[in-house]
């Protein structure tokens, strides 16, 4: 992957620290977005909750959150606010199991699950009259976005006009290993708290699955 060595980007002092840069928005900013929710049924018998924030625009941006995020993640609400100020409609996706209500199936979402994004785009195309559809994916949502673009290629011309991805862990194995390092363990633990709770809920709902309580509770990393 190409690296930009010569750049004019010059962050203020505290933002030169990667951890401060990562945590700042979460701890110091919050925006009250007036979402209205639409639940759509998916082909696999599950559902997706879509949160719209609209300005009667001919353009809409689909925002996909990262691992264990949601439409209420600070970075999603921040971008929604900026786009709404530019009179652009937004639909913030809640990936399966991330809307505050467990999804119906044993499986939920992952970095390569692009069929849900495809169903959302087709739903918007079929039920709304937007001239342009754009996609922004953060982290895991960026993986989904890029994989979807690669799978569909030129056939997307009639569906999606642009896409942007932010902080994408393209090398999933390397990114997972990086989160096990001492300086990054706080991020790993934050993910695991949420993931373990959801997985234990799955175990209660699907007691005959491959999941075991002991393995879930003893997990120390994504592996």
């Amino acid at each position: 992957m190409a690296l930009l060595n010569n750049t004019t980007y010059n962050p203020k002092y505290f933002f030169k620290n990667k951890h401060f840069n990562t945590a700042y928005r979460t701890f110091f900013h919050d925006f009250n977005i007036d979402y209205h929710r639409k639940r759509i049924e998916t082909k696999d018998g599950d559902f997706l909750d879509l949160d719209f924030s609209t300005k009667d625009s001919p353009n809409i941006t689909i925002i996909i959150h990262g691992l264990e995020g949601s439409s209420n993640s600070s970075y999603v609400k921040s971008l929604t606010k900026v786009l709404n100020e530019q009179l652009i409609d937004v639909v913030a996706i809640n990936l399966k199991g991330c809307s505050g209500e467990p999804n119906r199936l044993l499986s939920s979402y992952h970095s390569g699950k692009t069929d849900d994004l495809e169903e959302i785009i087709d739903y918007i195309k079929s039920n709304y009259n937007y001239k342009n559809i754009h996609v922004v994916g953060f982290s895991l949502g960026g993986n989904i976005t890029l994989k979807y673009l690669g799978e569909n290629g030129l056939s997307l011309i009639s569906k999606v006009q642009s896409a942007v991805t932010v902080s994408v862990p393209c090398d999933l194995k390397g990114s997972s290993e990086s989160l096990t390092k001492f300086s990054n363990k706080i991020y790993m633990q934050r993910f695991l708290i949420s993931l373990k709770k959801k997985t234990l809920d799955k175990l209660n709902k699907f007691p005959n699955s491959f999941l075991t309580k002991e393995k879930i509770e003893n997990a120390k990393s994504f592996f």
Side-chain angles (χ1 to χ4, degrees):
M1 183 180 296
L3 298 177
L4 297 176
N5 293 315
N6 298 316
T7 174
T8 59
Y9 177 60
N10 186 27
K12 293 184 182 296
Y13 178 77
F14 288 110
F15 289 97
K16 292 180 180 180
N17 180 282
K18 61 185 178 182
H19 300 297
F20 184 85
N21 219 333
T22 298
Y24 175 78
R25 181 70 74 186
T26 298
F27 289 110
F28 297 105
H29 278 185
D30 191 21
F31 302 100
N32 183 24
I33 304 298
D34 187 21
Y35 288 127
H36 58 276
R37 177 162 292 186
K38 174 68 178 180
R39 175 167 293 184
I40 64 172
E41 298 292 320
T42 53
K43 295 175 182 177
D44 59 4
D46 217 327
F47 66 89
L48 284 162
D49 285 331
L50 311 181
D51 287 332
F52 287 80
S53 182
T54 57
K55 296 293 180 180
D56 295 323
S57 172
N59 307 304
I60 190 168
T61 296
I62 299 169
I63 303 178
I64 314 173
H65 61 78
L67 180 65
E68 288 304 278
S70 72
S71 62
N72 283 317
S73 295
S74 57
Y75 54 90
V76 174
K77 292 195 291 185
S78 174
L79 180 58
T80 298
K81 180 177 183 294
V82 170
L83 291 170
N84 284 171
E85 287 174 347
Q86 300 298 316
L87 301 181
I88 298 173
D89 288 0
V90 166
V91 55
I93 295 175
N94 294 282
L95 296 173
K96 288 174 178 172
C98 294
S99 68
E101 181 178 336
N103 64 304
R104 299 175 188 142
L105 304 180
L106 175 61
S107 61
S108 54
Y109 70 97
H110 58 77
S111 60
K113 188 171 176 57
T114 56
D115 52 338
D116 287 342
L117 176 56
E118 183 172 23
E119 287 197 49
I120 290 166
I121 292 172
D122 288 343
Y123 170 80
I124 292 173
K125 290 286 291 184
S126 299
N127 292 275
Y128 299 89
N129 295 313
Y130 286 108
K131 181 179 179 182
N132 298 301
I133 297 176
H134 310 279
V135 181
V136 177
F138 288 90
S139 194
L140 176 145
N143 277 86
I144 294 172
T145 302
L146 293 177
K147 186 169 181 284
Y148 175 75
L149 297 176
E151 289 170 345
N152 289 274
L154 294 177
S155 66
L156 283 176
I157 293 175
S158 62
K159 290 186 175 182
V160 175
Q161 279 60 57
S162 73
V164 175
T165 58
V166 182
S167 298
V168 182
C170 297
D171 177 2
L172 293 172
K173 182 175 183 292
S175 298
S176 297
E177 290 171 345
S178 178
L179 285 175
T180 64
K181 295 179 180 178
F182 178 78
S183 62
N184 293 326
K185 279 193 174 181
I186 188 171
Y187 304 117
M188 175 65 78
Q189 292 308 310
R190 185 177 182 189
F191 286 133
L192 286 179
I193 289 171
S194 176
L195 289 168
K196 285 182 179 183
K197 181 182 183 303
K198 286 185 177 180
T199 312
L200 288 170
D201 289 342
K202 292 282 188 182
L203 179 62
N204 292 330
K205 189 174 181 180
F206 300 95
N208 297 320
S209 70
F210 63 89
L211 303 172
T212 67
K213 184 177 181 181
E214 182 180 11
K215 287 183 177 180
I216 295 168
E217 291 180 337
N218 291 334
K220 305 296 184 185
S221 68
F222 293 150
F223 293 105

